[in-house]
């Protein structure tokens, strides 16, 4: 049941993936070059607002979350995404796109605008102190440089100037960020506060590998790692995570995540998908700067998720980027897929209201009861509080936290 609906905290079960499929199918049907560019522009501008708020947080101006207990983050910003790592991963996906717009734009005012947004992204990334996004940006930059070196014998030096500059800007941004004396640099120092997350990941990965070995064919289904982790975890995990997490619910590695959920087949499919995108990138000719940016953002996603995991905001951008690449580089296949997917799209649209009743309405209603119950308890209205807790449980019995 948990694999179908997902956990209350993450909501990434089969039902949620049906929505992703619906979203992806819809994109394949409607996307074209102009629409892709417009959506990329919306993503960059929206992310700019999110990044700007993160900078305000660093400056101690945080009106939206002033009453929240965020001491757990130890000075790291999270903006509106609830976690510094989620913020860093989100902005890392958007940075190549904003840099791509710098070179794609003809007017100087637009170049200045996107340059400013890129700087805001960079500052917010530094302040998030998230390490995995910088790894993803570093690897994607190297892939861009290799691409440029691959084509230099087929183009004159003048035509290579902007692609080289594009790669060097991204590379210099990352290098300067790692070596400037900032809080981010402190995150790479071998002190207990930093090595804690590394050691816990190694324990989590070891447990995930054991689960895959015991369930190689079909895995244990999505959203079930948390329930199985207890039986495989090294006791040392609970010692080093005593003041942090009581239990791991993600593997912090997409290969292991898909392996746990779907067995060895999941690992193979994910690996082949990455290889296909790398092959496709190096086989594309005469790509414009935004096409390069979309590819690089996908590579950032792949490689930062070797050490982290995604939430809904990241998945939506990822599926949009993948659909964009298919529409830009596989036009014949896209046209065929778009026509054949219309039936699937319509079917999912019909099913969406039914699914939304269980995955959106009931959950929101249960959360409302639960919140009111907590307020009633705080006000000393014990009878009302108990009744509201009961209503929350009856509305969404799958979430066991309501029972405590």
């Amino acid at each position: 049941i948990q694999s179908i609906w997902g956990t209350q905290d993450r909501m990434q079960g089969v039902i949620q993936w049906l929505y992703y499929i619906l979203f992806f199918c819809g994109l394949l049907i409607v996307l074209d070059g102009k629409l892709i560019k417009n959506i990329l522009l919306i993503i960059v501008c929206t992310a700019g607002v999110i990044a700007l708020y993160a900078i305000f947080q660093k400056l101690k101006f945080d009106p939206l979350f002033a009453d929240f207990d965020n001491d757990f983050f130890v000075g790291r910003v999270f903006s509106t995404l609830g976690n510094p790592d989620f913020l860093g991963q989100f902005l890392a996906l958007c940075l190549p796109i904003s840099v791509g717009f710098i070179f794609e734009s003809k007017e100087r005012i637009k170049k200045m605008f996107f340059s400013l947004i890129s700087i805001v992204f960079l500052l917010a990334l530094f302040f998030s102190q998230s390490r995995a996004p910088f790894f993803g940006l570093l690897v994607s930059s190297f892939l861009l440089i290799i691409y440029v070196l691959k084509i230099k014998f087929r183009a004159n030096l003048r035509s290579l100037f902007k692609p080289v500059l594009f790669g060097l800007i991204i590379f210099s941004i990352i290098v300067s960020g790692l070596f400037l004396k900032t809080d981010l640099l402190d995150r790479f120092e071998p002190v207990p506060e930093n090595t804690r997350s590394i050691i816990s990941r190694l324990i989590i990965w070891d447990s995930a590998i054991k689960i895959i070995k015991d369930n190689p064919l079909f895995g244990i289904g999505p959203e079930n790692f948390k329930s199985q982790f207890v039986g495989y975890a090294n006791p040392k995990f609970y010692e080093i995570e005593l003041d942090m997490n009581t239990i791991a619910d993600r593997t912090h590695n997409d290969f292991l995540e898909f392996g746990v959920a779907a067995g060895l087949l999941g690992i193979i499919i994910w690996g082949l998908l990455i290889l296909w995108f790398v092959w496709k990138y190096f086989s594309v000719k005469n790509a414009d700067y935004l096409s390069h940016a979309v590819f690089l953002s996908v590579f950032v996603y792949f490689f930062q998720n070797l050490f982290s995991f995604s939430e809904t905001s990241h998945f939506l951008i990822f599926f949009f980027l993948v659909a964009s690449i298919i529409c830009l580089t596989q036009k014949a296949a896209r046209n065929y897929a778009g026509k054949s997917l219309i039936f699937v799209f319509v079917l999912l649209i019909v099913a969406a209201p039914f699914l939304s009743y269980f995955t959106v309405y009931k959950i929101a209603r249960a959360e409302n009861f639960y919140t009111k119950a907590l307020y009633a308890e705080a006000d000393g209205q014990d009878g009302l509080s108990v009744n509201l807790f009961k209503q929350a449980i009856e509305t969404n019995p799958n979430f066991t936290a309501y029972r405590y």
Side-chain angles (χ1 to χ4, degrees), residues 198-210:
I198 297 174
I199 296 172
S200 66
R201 273 174 173 75
L202 292 175
I203 294 174
I204 292 170
W205 292 347
D206 178 67
S207 302
I209 291 171
K210 291 177 181 176

Side-chain angles (χ1 to χ4, degrees), residues 314-329:
H314 311 105
F315 279 125
L316 291 177
I317 291 183
F318 173 71
F319 279 108
F320 166 71
L321 294 173
V322 171
S324 297
I325 289 175
I326 293 174
C327 292
L328 291 172
T329 65

Side-chain angles (χ1 to χ4, degrees), residues 204-381:
I204 292 170
W205 292 347
D206 178 67
S207 302
I209 291 171
K210 291 177 181 176
I211 292 174
I212 295 170
K213 285 182 178 179
D214 289 346
N215 305 271
L217 294 181
F218 305 107
I220 59 174
E223 297 282 73
N224 284 326
F225 180 70
K226 182 177 181 179
S227 61
Q228 296 295 312
F229 176 74
V230 178
Y232 290 86
N234 187 319
K236 188 176 181 180
F237 176 84
Y238 300 102
E239 297 176 10
I240 63 176
E241 294 282 343
L242 182 63
D243 299 325
M244 301 290 179
N245 303 312
T246 56
I247 195 169
D249 68 342
R250 286 293 185 272
T251 65
H252 293 267
N253 178 287
D254 271 353
F255 278 100
L256 295 177
E257 194 71 40
F258 286 109
V260 167
L264 294 177
L265 182 61
I267 295 176
I268 293 171
I269 292 175
W270 188 244
L272 290 175
L273 183 65
I274 294 175
L275 291 175
W276 183 85
F277 273 100
V278 173
W279 169 80
K280 194 64 187 176
Y281 180 55
F282 286 104
S283 64
V284 170
K285 299 178 182 179
N286 302 319
D288 59 23
Y289 296 111
L290 282 182
S291 296
H292 279 289
V294 172
F295 269 108
L296 293 176
S297 292
V298 171
F299 294 144
V300 169
Y301 181 91
F302 285 142
F303 291 106
Q304 73 179 5
N305 275 24
L306 292 176
F307 304 97
S308 57
F309 62 92
S310 296
E311 288 293 312
T312 300
S313 56
H314 311 105
F315 279 125
L316 291 177
I317 291 183
F318 173 71
F319 279 108
F320 166 71
L321 294 173
V322 171
S324 297
I325 289 175
I326 293 174
C327 292
L328 291 172
T329 65
Q330 301 284 113
K331 293 183 179 180
R334 179 258 182 183
N335 291 335
Y336 175 77
K339 293 177 181 178
S340 61
L341 288 173
I342 290 178
F343 173 75
V344 177
F345 182 75
V346 171
L347 183 63
L348 290 173
I349 283 288
V350 172
F354 172 76
L355 296 175
S356 298
Y357 173 77
F358 292 99
T359 60
V360 179
Y361 173 75
K362 291 192 69 173
I363 290 174
R365 184 171 171 81
E367 281 290 300
N368 183 49
F369 286 135
Y370 182 65
T371 302
K372 289 181 178 179
L374 294 176
Y375 279 118
E377 183 182 28
D379 291 339
Q381 302 179 53

